[in-house]
Structure formats: structure tokens, C-alpha cells
Amino acid sequence: MRKKFKSIDESRVTISELMLPSHSNFNGKIHGGYVLSLLDQIAFACASKHSEVYCVTASVDTVDFLKPIEIGELVTMKASVNFVGSSSMLIGIRVEAENIQTGEVKHCNSSYFTMVAKDSEGNSVPVPGLILKSSDDIRRFAKSIKRYDNKKKRRTEFHETDFVSEEHLHIVEGYNVQIEL
């Protein structure tokens, strides 16, 4: 029997992986695409653990690459459900890299994935609500509402605005462009 509400701790997921030379880019740092793949995996695991059903990635709301990850560092990703809608969940992920020789830990990435719970036919299904137990939980939930509202506003503005029209040329003023109409 699925619970009507779950605590954030019940769905929290942490994974660690040693970064190998095969994960690096041409600059000798861990490739951002590889990190994105790991982020998607942990977001799936966290959302599926919370909803107890298969989940799909609906959107990647934010990925902030803060510091490069080096070959040989131990990367730890911590994911938690920050917000739930009727069938969607916003998964917050923190990425840290540890130099295993010195013990130095650095915050490398913060990401937010919107995941949707699906049944075997691919229809969206309801997810359990969240039990918020701390001011930090409430802060994350409230920030997620704000993030959702901003995303909705951006979508509306983007679809309502005709960016091809000459009356919008003032928008590109001051940017590194050359207009040749």
C-alpha cells in the first residue's frame, strides 16, 4: 500500500563514483555530459523511490557547473525531493568532488530535475505528498514553488512574443550582434 505522504528522508538517494580517465574531456576534466548522465540517473532513482513507480525526466530546470571535477576524484551526488505536484516531482541534486588523497571536498554542481511518475501505459500517476520536517525542507519547497512559477512565466512570455518582428530590435541592443536586414 502506497503512503499518502512521505518524508524527504524516505526518498533521499546518495551515490558515489570514482572519476576515471575515460570520463574526461579533451581538457583533462570530467566531461559535463558524463556528469549530466549521472545526474539523470540519480534523479530517476530518487523520484522512483518517492513515487514507487517508473519516472521520466520532464525537464532539466537548472544545471550550474560551479567547479571542474578532476580525474581521480570521488564524486558524491545527493538527491532529494524538494517539491511535489500531482504527478511531478522536483529533484534537487548536489554534487561534491573529494580529492581522496587530501580529503578536500568541493561543491561542483547544483541541479534541479523535474520528474514525472508514469504507469505501465505511460499515463501520469499521482505521487505521495511531502512531509516537511524542518525549516530547510520548507525553504526548499517554497523555493521550488518560486522556481516553478518563474518557469511557467518564461514559457508564457516566450510563446506570446514574436521575436522575429522588427519592433523587438531594441531587445538585442547592447549585445555582441550585427543586424543585416
Side-chain angles (χ1 to χ4, degrees), residues 92-149:
I93 308 165
R94 180 180 173 95
V95 179
E96 296 176 340
E98 178 182 0
N99 179 317
I100 56 176
Q101 293 175 330
T102 67
E104 180 187 347
V105 176
K106 60 186 175 184
H107 178 200
C108 297
N109 185 300
S110 290
S111 304
Y112 299 93
F113 279 59
T114 300
M115 307 297 288
V116 177
K118 298 287 186 175
D119 64 16
S120 58
E121 285 82 44
N123 300 308
S124 298
V125 296
V127 298
L130 276 182
I131 300 170
L132 305 177
K133 293 184 175 182
S134 71
S135 58
D136 211 30
D137 293 348
I138 296 167
R139 179 185 57 79
R140 285 186 179 129
F141 195 91
K143 280 183 121 179
S144 297
I145 292 170
K146 183 89 168 156
R147 187 173 277 110
Y148 175 78
D149 290 345

Side-chain angles (χ1 to χ4, degrees), residues 1-174:
M1 166 114 179
R2 289 179 57 198
K3 293 180 176 182
K4 189 168 179 150
F5 290 89
K6 286 178 129 179
S7 71
I8 292 170
D9 288 341
E10 289 179 87
S11 304
R12 199 174 307 259
V13 176
T14 301
I15 61 171
S16 294
E17 184 173 331
L18 185 65
M19 295 295 106
L20 304 174
S22 61
H23 304 141
S24 67
N25 59 25
F26 295 111
N27 198 28
K29 309 296 182 195
I30 300 307
H31 195 284
Y34 183 72
V35 175
L36 285 171
S37 174
L38 293 175
L39 290 168
D40 194 47
Q41 289 175 41
I42 195 169
F44 168 81
C46 184
S48 295
K49 190 173 178 182
H50 182 78
S51 66
E52 300 177 10
V53 295
Y54 182 78
C55 294
V56 297
T57 305
S59 70
V60 179
D61 302 321
T62 306
V63 179
D64 293 321
F65 292 97
L66 306 172
K67 294 181 181 171
I69 300 171
E70 307 291 335
I71 296 168
E73 290 184 323
L74 182 65
V75 168
T76 299
M77 297 187 174
K78 301 170 186 178
S80 62
V81 179
N82 288 0
F83 172 84
V84 294
S86 55
S87 62
S88 65
M89 296 152 281
L90 183 71
I91 310 299
I93 308 165
R94 180 180 173 95
V95 179
E96 296 176 340
E98 178 182 0
N99 179 317
I100 56 176
Q101 293 175 330
T102 67
E104 180 187 347
V105 176
K106 60 186 175 184
H107 178 200
C108 297
N109 185 300
S110 290
S111 304
Y112 299 93
F113 279 59
T114 300
M115 307 297 288
V116 177
K118 298 287 186 175
D119 64 16
S120 58
E121 285 82 44
N123 300 308
S124 298
V125 296
V127 298
L130 276 182
I131 300 170
L132 305 177
K133 293 184 175 182
S134 71
S135 58
D136 211 30
D137 293 348
I138 296 167
R139 179 185 57 79
R140 285 186 179 129
F141 195 91
K143 280 183 121 179
S144 297
I145 292 170
K146 183 89 168 156
R147 187 173 277 110
Y148 175 78
D149 290 345
N150 286 338
K151 182 175 160 183
K152 189 175 171 183
K153 183 179 174 187
R154 279 193 315 273
R155 276 190 194 148
T156 302
E157 287 175 351
F158 184 77
H159 291 296
E160 288 179 354
T161 304
D162 177 10
F163 285 103
V164 180
S165 171
E166 288 184 28
E167 70 184 65
H168 292 97
L169 287 177
H170 68 280
I171 293 173
V172 301
E173 287 179 12

